[in-house]
């Protein structure tokens, strides 16, 4: 089964979740399924643009708000231009006009194991780094925008990613979009 955005309509889907929840994977697969732009401009991309490591950008962002503001502003500007899937830590909070807001969650242990599988390294070190990053992210989001990124109750869809693989999550989201008449099913 494939899905299509109705003729003459635009669709913006915001997907958020902490590091290791499958945000990038799910956002990528969903954008491919719908044939829309993926917007996933993160600290990782900013680090590459600036020739820094991710850890350096996170450290710099502790005292320089321009890192967050640059990333957050750029992705919302891009998302407002066309139908898209915006996948970011703050997508569901920042893209207020999103047609569907999806929050992905997973336990700290599940997230750390996924990061280990993706990037390699030492599991305990990954757990420490991820906990530090979560804490720093939460502190900055509260300071900059008054956003509590642990309060996602307003999301249209909340998915525990430990219970489904990325393809199943995408099918779940597509089903929700169809139920809301935001996409139509196409017979293959």
């Amino acid at each position: 089964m494939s899905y299509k955005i109705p003729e003459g309509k635009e669709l913006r889907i915001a997907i958020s979740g902490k590091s290791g929840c499958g945000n990038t994977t799910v956002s990528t697969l969903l954008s491919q399924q719908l044939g829309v732009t993926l917007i996933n401009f993160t600290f990782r991309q900013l680090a590459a643009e600036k020739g820094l490591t991710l850890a350096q950008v996170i450290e710099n962002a502790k005292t320089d708000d321009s890192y967050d503001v640059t990333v957050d502003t750029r992705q919302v500007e891009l998302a407002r231009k066309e139908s898209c899937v915006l996948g970011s830590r703050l997508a569901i909070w920042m893209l207020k006009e999103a047609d569907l807001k999806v929050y992905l969650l997973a336990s700290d242990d599940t997230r750390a194991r996924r990061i280990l599988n993706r990037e390699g390294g030492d599991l305990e070190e990954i757990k420490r780094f991820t906990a530090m990053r979560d804490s720093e992210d939460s502190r900055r989001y509260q300071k900059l925008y008054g956003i509590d990124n642990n309060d996602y109750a307003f999301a249209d869809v909340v998915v525990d990613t430990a219970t489904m693989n990325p393809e199943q999550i995408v099918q779940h989201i597509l089903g929700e979009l169809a139920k809301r008449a935001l996409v139509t099913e196409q017979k293959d």
Side-chain angles (χ1 to χ4, degrees):
M1 189 68 63
S2 65
Y3 295 86
K4 190 177 140 203
I5 299 167
E7 195 69 39
K9 299 277 187 189
E10 289 193 348
L11 177 64
R12 288 170 186 82
I13 303 163
I15 302 179
S16 293
K18 294 182 180 179
S19 164
C21 281
N23 201 1
T24 303
T25 303
V26 169
S27 297
T28 301
L29 290 171
L30 184 62
S31 70
Q32 290 168 348
Q33 283 275 328
L34 291 171
V36 299
T37 301
L38 169 66
I39 298 170
N40 186 354
F41 188 82
T42 64
F43 270 5
R44 197 174 297 282
Q45 282 79 29
L46 188 62
E49 273 186 15
K50 292 184 171 283
L52 301 170
T53 67
L54 177 59
Q56 287 172 311
V57 168
I58 292 169
E59 188 59 36
N60 292 351
K62 289 179 183 178
T63 56
D64 184 348
D65 293 343
S66 72
Y67 285 87
D68 280 293
V69 173
T70 297
V71 166
D72 300 331
T73 304
R74 185 155 342 152
Q75 26 188 45
V76 171
E77 286 171 356
L78 291 168
R80 287 186 172 142
K81 289 181 180 177
E82 62 186 323
S83 291
C84 65
V85 175
L86 172 59
S88 79
R89 302 272 184 275
L90 291 180
I92 66 172
W93 290 272
M94 300 294 280
L95 190 62
K96 294 183 182 347
E97 66 270 31
D99 297 292
L100 189 73
K101 295 176 178 151
V102 179
Y103 190 81
L104 305 177
L105 58 95
S107 70
D108 293 347
D109 192 58
T110 298
R111 293 169 48 222
R113 290 182 188 288
R114 287 181 180 157
I115 294 166
L116 175 68
N117 290 339
R118 180 177 73 208
E119 299 171 12
D122 174 69
L123 184 61
E124 291 308 312
E125 179 53 37
I126 290 168
K127 285 181 180 180
R128 278 191 296 281
F129 181 78
T130 303
M132 177 278 296
R133 186 175 181 187
D134 288 349
S135 171
E136 271 309 307
D137 286 351
S138 293
R139 183 193 64 74
R140 286 193 330 275
Y141 302 155
Q142 187 66 53
K143 175 184 159 210
L144 283 172
Y145 308 114
I147 290 172
D148 175 359
N149 69 322
N150 293 305
D151 177 13
Y152 48 83
F154 66 92
D156 299 308
V157 178
V158 176
V159 180
D160 181 347
T161 64
T163 64
M164 291 186 256
N165 68 35
E167 291 77 13
Q168 291 168 320
I169 294 166
V170 168
Q171 288 307 309
H172 179 70
I173 295 167
L174 289 167
E176 188 63 34
L177 289 166
K179 194 163 68 177
R180 293 168 182 250
L182 295 168
V183 297
T184 55
E185 292 181 30
Q186 303 295 302
K187 304 290 182 224
D188 291 334

